[in-house]
Amino acid sequence: MFTKIGSFAGQVLFVLVVFITFILIFEHYLIVPVWLQVAGRMHPLMLHFPIVLLLIAAGLQFYRFSKGDMVSDELKTILRQLWLFSALLTGITVIMGIFLSQEEGYGGDILWQHKWTGVVAFYLSFILYKLQGYTFYKALPVKILTGLLTLFVLISGHFGATLTHGEDFLTAPVRLAQDDITVPLEEAYVFDHLIAPVLNARCTGCHNPEKIKGELMLTDSVSIAKGGKSGALFNFGQPDLSLMLERVHLPLDDKKHMPPKGKPQLTPEEEALLLAWIQAKTPFREKIMNLPPSASLYSLAVKRFDKKDAVAEAYDFPAADEKTVLKLNSDYRTIAPLATNSPALEVAVFNSQAYTPAQIDELEPLKKQIVQLNLSKMPVSDQDLKGVSKLENIRELNLNFTNISDNGLSSLTTLPYLNHLNLAGTNVTFSKLKAILPQFKSLRKVSIWETGIKDQEISELIKTFPGIAFIGNYQDQDTALLKLNPPQAVTSQWVFPEQTQVRLEHPVKNVQLHYTTDGSDPDSLSPLFSEPVTLKSASVIRVKGYKEGWLPSDITEFQFFRNTYKPDSVQLLNRLNHVHLAEGAHTFFDTQLGNLGANNPAWANHFAGVRHEDMQLVCRFNQPIRLSSVGIRHMVEEATGIYPPALVEIWGGESEEKVRLIARKVPALPVPKEDPSLQKMEISFPAQNVRYLKIVAKPYQKEKERPKLVLIDEIFLN
C-alpha cells in the first residue's frame, strides 16, 4: 500500500520541481488571483512542518553516515520516505511563499534572501531524496549536500523571522536596553530616545523597508512624516485627528486596530507618550531638555528615564540581612528589592495618621541599601530630614505634599548620590532653592509643581542649572478630556431585499448614541438609540457618541442599501481587469460590500474592475420584474486613477432580441486631490417590466493617457 503512495508522492514531487522552476522563471508575469491569495497567506502556518522534517531527515542522514554499512534496511526505507515527504512539504511551502510575496507590502533584500535560500533548500531536499536509492550515499558530496541543506534551512528560517518580526528581533531587548542605558537625559532627543523605541518595539515589524504594509515605513523620520497609503499618520497639535492614535484606540477585534490583534500591544505609558508627542507639536530633532517643564511630554520623559536609570545602575554594596528587612516591614511601611537579584531597596511609608519620625530613624540599619524613599503626603517636618540624611546611598526621594520648607533642604545636601528630588506641593521657595541647588553633588531632576514657584522662575532655574531637569506646573492642555472612539453599527444585512434591523454600539460603557436618518448631523437633541432601528429603504444613519467626562465622538456615517431583485443568472460579455477579478459577475450581487484601503481584504476581494474594456453585465430573470432604478456602488480614488465610469447605459427588454436603451447617465468626475470615497450612483427611469437587463459602464480616458480604472462592488436593482 505504502509503495503505491510513495510512488504517487514521488511523481507529485517531480511535478512540483517542474512547476516551481516554471514560476521562478516567469515570476515577473505572475498574477495571483484572489482565491489563491488565501493559499499564499497559509505560508507562515505551513513552513514549520517542512523545517522540522528536513532537520530530522538531515540528522538521520548524518547518523547513517556514522554507521556505514551497519544501517538496517528499515532505517534506509524510513530515511528515503522522510526525504520524500520533507521535499513535498517544502515544495508546497515554497509555492505558498511565492504567492504571498506577490502581495503589496513585500520587497527588499530580506525577502529575496528568504525566498532563494528556501528555494535552494527545496532543490537540495529533492536531490537528497533521489540519491537515497544509490549505493554511494557515503560519498563526500552527499555529506556536503546534507550540510548545505541544514545551513540553508536555518538561514531561510532566520530571514523569515526577520520579515515577520523585524530586523534584530532576537537581540532587540538587549540592544534597546543598551541604548537606554548609554543616553543620559541631558543628551536625549524626543524622537530618537522616546518615540522611536516605541515604534521599533510595536510597529516596525510590519512597516520596514523589507515589509512595507500599507505603503508605510516607520523606521526613519522622513518616512514617518510622509505617511502611507491611508495618508499622514499625524496631525501635530491635534491628536484627535491623527490616524495613528485613531487606529491605536480602535477595539482590539477591529481589523484596522494597530498593532494587530495577536501582536504585542502598546502599554498605557507608550500610548501616553505618542499622545503627548503629537499634542506638543514636537519636531523630530528636539531635545527633551528643551521642552517646557510644564509640558506633559517632558514629565513622561523624566519618568521614563528615571526607570532606565534605576534598572541600569550597578550597586557595589552588599544585600541587606533578610531578617532585618522582614522585621522593618510593617502595615504602614513596605521595604522591597528595587529589582530581581538587586541589593538595592525601595521604601514607601503609608497612612499619614499613623506616621511618626521613628519610621525614618528605624531605617538606619539599611542605610547602605535604601536607594528610593517615598514619603509623599506624610506629615514630614524639616527635623525629620536629618534621619533621611543618614541614608547614604539614596538616589530618589519623594517629599511631595509634605510639611517641609526651605530650612529642611540643607540636611539633604550631604547625600552624595541623590539625583531625583520630588518637592511638589511643599513650601520651598524660589530664592532658597536657587541658592542651595549648587550644594547638591548629583542632582539631575527636581519636581516643583504646585509650590508657588512661578513659570518664569522655573525658566530661570532651567537657564541657571542646565544639567537639572525641572518638572513644573501642568498646563490646561495636559488635563484635556479624552475623545470618544467612533460608534459602531451591527446588522445582519448591509444590503437587504425588504428590511433590516440595525443596532448601534460603542466600546466604552454607558455612552449615549444620538443618531439621524435624514442625512443631517446628529447632536445631543437628536433621537437617542435604545432599540434596533428598522430600515425598509436605502438609508444613511449618522451617529455621534456622548458621555459625561469625555469629549463627544466624531460623527460616524453608516450606509445601508436595498436590492429588491437578484438575477437568476449573470454574465460578463467582456473581460475584467486581470488584477481585479473578485468573483467575476457574481461580485455585483453577493451583498459583500467593499472598503477603502488596498491592504484591506474587503478592498481586494469585493471589487471587480475594468480599465481597457467596457464592463458589459447581462442579468436574466426567469420571471419579469418591475424595475425603476439601478444603483451602482463604486470607488473613487483620484490620486491612484480610480474613477467613476465616464458613461453608464441601462438596456432592458423581454429578451436579448427585444432589448432597448432605457436610461443613461454621465457621472461627475472627481476633482484633483479629492479624498478617496465609496459612492452610490443612482440611475432612475419610468418603471417597466424586464426579463433581460444589460448594464454597460465605460471607463473614463483622457487624451494620450491610459483609461482610468473602474471598481464596482455591488449593483442594486429596485
Side-chain angles (χ1 to χ4, degrees):
M1 177 66 179
F2 189 82
T3 303
K4 293 182 179 179
I5 296 175
S7 176
F8 176 74
Q11 295 174 8
V12 173
L13 177 59
F14 181 77
V15 172
L16 286 180
V17 171
V18 175
F19 180 66
I20 289 174
T21 304
F22 177 81
I23 60 176
L24 287 173
I25 294 173
F26 297 101
E27 186 178 6
H28 180 71
Y29 303 98
L30 184 62
I31 297 172
V32 181
V34 173
W35 63 273
L36 265 184
Q37 291 180 13
V38 177
R41 295 188 180 196
M42 292 178 64
H43 173 77
L45 171 67
M46 191 72 180
L47 60 85
H48 299 91
F49 298 101
I51 288 175
V52 172
L53 289 178
L54 286 172
L55 293 178
I56 292 175
L60 283 177
Q61 187 72 57
F62 282 116
Y63 174 78
R64 183 182 179 186
F65 292 150
S66 67
K67 292 298 182 180
D69 296 331
M70 301 297 293
V71 176
S72 65
D73 291 338
E74 289 80 3
L75 180 60
K76 294 178 183 177
T77 301
I78 291 173
L79 185 56
R80 179 176 172 81
Q81 294 168 356
L82 192 57
W83 278 121
L84 171 59
F85 290 103
S86 299
L88 270 174
L89 285 175
T90 304
I92 294 171
T93 304
V94 166
I95 293 172
M96 290 177 172
I98 293 173
F99 289 166
L100 181 61
S101 68
Q102 300 301 307
E103 293 193 28
E104 183 181 5
Y106 291 94
D109 293 338
I110 300 297
L111 176 66
W112 188 91
Q113 293 162 343
H114 173 60
K115 180 180 77 173
W116 285 105
T117 50
V119 168
V120 171
F122 166 66
Y123 285 125
L124 287 174
S125 66
F126 171 72
I127 293 171
L128 285 166
Y129 158 67
K130 299 298 290 185
L131 291 178
Q132 295 305 303
Y134 296 91
T135 58
F136 53 83
Y137 66 88
K138 292 187 292 184
L140 182 61
V142 181
K143 296 180 180 180
I144 293 175
L145 288 176
T146 307
L148 285 174
L149 171 72
T150 305
L151 180 63
F152 276 99
V153 168
L154 296 176
I155 294 175
S156 182
H158 166 71
F159 288 133
T162 301
L163 276 175
T164 304
H165 301 291
E167 203 164 359
D168 300 327
F169 173 71
L170 291 176
T171 59
V174 176
R175 175 174 49 80
L176 291 175
Q178 290 174 342
D179 291 343
D180 290 345
I181 293 169
T182 56
V183 180
L185 178 64
E186 293 76 15
E187 300 176 10
Y189 287 87
V190 172
F191 178 75
D192 292 345
H193 303 109
L194 281 181
I195 305 305
V198 175
L199 300 180
N200 290 338
R202 310 297 181 194
C203 309
T204 56
C206 292
H207 301 286
N208 59 73
E210 312 299 337
K211 189 178 181 182
I212 313 175
K213 285 292 186 181
E215 301 180 12
L216 174 64
M217 280 202 304
L218 296 176
T219 51
D220 61 88
S221 59
V222 175
S223 299
I224 292 170
K226 178 183 176 183
K229 178 77 173 180
S230 299
L233 284 179
F234 310 111
N235 194 335
F236 281 108
Q238 295 181 289
D240 294 336
L241 302 179
S242 294
L243 181 62
M244 170 173 273
L245 293 183
E246 177 186 324
R247 296 291 176 88
V248 166
H249 291 138
L250 286 172
L252 185 60
D253 290 330
D254 194 300
K255 292 181 180 180
K256 293 184 178 181
H257 173 84
M258 291 295 161
K261 186 178 181 180
K263 298 283 187 179
Q265 299 297 304
L266 291 165
T267 65
E269 180 189 16
E270 290 169 340
E271 287 188 24
L273 272 175
L274 292 176
L275 173 63
W277 178 53
I278 296 171
Q279 191 175 52
K281 306 179 185 179
T282 311
F284 285 95
R285 298 305 301 165
E286 184 74 64
K287 277 193 170 184
I288 292 174
M289 294 300 292
N290 293 339
L291 296 172
S294 57
S296 57
L297 182 59
Y298 181 90
S299 303
L300 290 168
V302 170
K303 291 178 182 178
R304 196 168 179 86
F305 272 80
D306 284 347
K307 292 180 180 179
K308 295 174 186 176
D309 293 342
V311 174
E313 187 169 358
Y315 302 99
D316 57 2
F317 47 76
D321 179 67
E322 292 183 8
K323 292 183 179 179
T324 302
V325 174
L326 185 62
K327 179 182 178 181
L328 291 175
N329 262 300
S330 67
D331 292 339
Y332 307 122
R333 181 177 58 202
T334 62
I335 305 172
L338 187 64
T340 304
N341 299 323
S342 173
L345 299 174
E346 57 179 343
V347 179
V349 179
F350 305 95
N351 195 337
S352 60
Q353 295 182 351
Y355 171 81
T356 65
Q359 290 182 295
I360 297 176
D361 297 333
E362 291 168 356
L363 296 174
E364 189 169 357
L366 304 176
K367 64 181 181 180
K368 289 185 179 295
Q369 289 80 23
I370 295 175
V371 299
Q372 291 186 9
L373 177 60
N374 186 354
L375 298 171
S376 176
K377 299 182 180 179
M378 295 296 107
V380 178
S381 66
D382 291 335
Q383 185 68 23
D384 298 342
L385 294 185
K386 292 182 179 180
V388 175
S389 67
K390 297 177 182 179
L391 306 178
E392 57 191 61
N393 282 318
I394 196 166
R395 267 69 167 171
E396 181 174 338
L397 178 60
N398 190 340
L399 297 172
N400 287 345
F401 300 98
T402 59
N403 298 331
I404 69 160
S405 64
D406 291 336
N407 297 328
L409 293 179
S410 300
S411 302
L412 304 177
T413 58
T414 59
L415 295 171
Y417 302 108
L418 182 63
N419 59 51
H420 191 175
L421 182 58
N422 291 312
L423 300 173
T426 63
N427 295 318
V428 297
T429 63
F430 165 70
S431 57
K432 178 63 175 180
L433 191 61
K434 183 178 179 181
I436 202 171
L437 281 176
Q439 300 179 38
F440 288 92
K441 300 177 181 179
S442 304
L443 204 58
R444 289 174 52 197
K445 308 176 189 72
V446 181
S447 300
I448 48 176
W449 45 281
E450 293 192 28
T451 57
I453 300 177
K454 300 176 181 178
D455 287 345
Q456 59 266 32
E457 293 173 335
I458 295 175
S459 299
E460 185 175 339
L461 289 173
I462 292 173
K463 293 179 181 178
T464 307
F465 305 101
I468 299 177
F470 294 91
I471 304 177
N473 297 314
Y474 291 94
Q475 297 175 341
D476 291 341
Q477 67 174 15
D478 299 323
T479 57
L481 300 178
L482 292 177
K483 190 172 189 176
L484 287 170
N485 296 341
Q488 302 167 2
V490 179
T491 182
S492 61
Q493 294 180 303
W494 294 88
V495 180
F496 56 92
E498 295 181 359
Q499 66 178 37
T500 188
Q501 289 193 324
V502 182
R503 189 172 70 254
L504 302 178
E505 295 181 349
H506 199 280
V508 178
K509 292 184 178 180
N510 301 321
V511 171
Q512 293 186 331
L513 299 175
H514 294 267
Y515 70 96
T516 61
T517 56
D518 60 1
S520 61
D521 289 346
D523 55 29
S524 58
L525 300 179
S526 300
L528 176 64
F529 174 78
S530 59
E531 58 185 26
V533 180
T534 300
L535 302 177
K536 296 184 178 181
S537 60
S539 304
V540 174
I541 297 181
R542 297 169 63 81
V543 193
K544 189 170 186 176
Y546 294 86
K547 183 177 180 179
E548 185 176 356
W550 295 67
L551 291 175
S553 72
D554 291 330
I555 296 174
T556 305
E557 181 176 290
F558 303 103
Q559 296 184 8
F560 302 87
F561 305 92
R562 179 169 179 173
N563 183 55
T564 305
Y565 304 111
K566 184 175 181 180
D568 294 300
S569 67
V570 288
Q571 178 187 3
L572 282 166
L573 301 183
N574 286 339
R575 294 179 301 175
L576 293 172
N577 183 273
H578 66 281
V579 179
H580 306 96
L581 300 173
E583 299 299 326
H586 297 285
T587 304
F588 309 119
F589 299 100
D590 62 2
T591 71
Q592 300 296 311
L593 298 176
N595 214 329
L596 292 172
N599 285 327
N600 191 321
W603 193 102
N605 299 338
H606 300 331
F607 281 97
V610 292
R611 184 193 297 275
H612 298 287
E613 299 187 63
D614 296 348
M615 189 198 82
Q616 297 190 35
L617 177 69
V618 171
C619 306
R620 294 181 174 88
F621 303 87
N622 295 335
Q623 299 296 328
I625 63 169
R626 189 69 173 170
L627 189 67
S628 60
S629 70
V630 174
I632 299 177
R633 190 171 185 263
H634 61 94
M635 184 187 300
V636 176
E637 198 171 83
E638 189 274 337
T640 57
I642 302 174
Y643 271 47
L647 173 66
V648 176
E649 295 179 344
I650 309 298
W651 298 73
E654 286 293 318
S655 64
E656 184 174 358
E657 293 76 18
K658 297 180 180 180
V659 69
R660 65 188 183 281
L661 179 66
I662 57 178
R664 62 186 301 171
K665 184 168 185 174
V666 178
L669 296 176
V671 299
K673 299 183 179 180
E674 178 179 317
D675 290 337
S677 62
L678 298 173
Q679 300 180 10
K680 178 190 174 186
M681 178 196 319
E682 190 77 21
I683 306 170
S684 300
F685 42 83
Q688 50 197 285
N689 295 328
V690 298
R691 291 183 61 183
Y692 179 92
L693 181 69
K694 182 179 178 182
I695 303 171
V696 179
K698 300 178 180 292
Y700 175 76
Q701 183 176 14
K702 292 182 179 179
E703 188 177 357
K704 297 182 179 180
E705 291 186 8
R706 71 171 182 166
K708 302 297 183 181
L709 179 63
V710 175
L711 290 180
I712 299 172
D713 65 343
E714 206 71 16
I715 293 177
F716 314 107
L717 307 178
N718 294 293

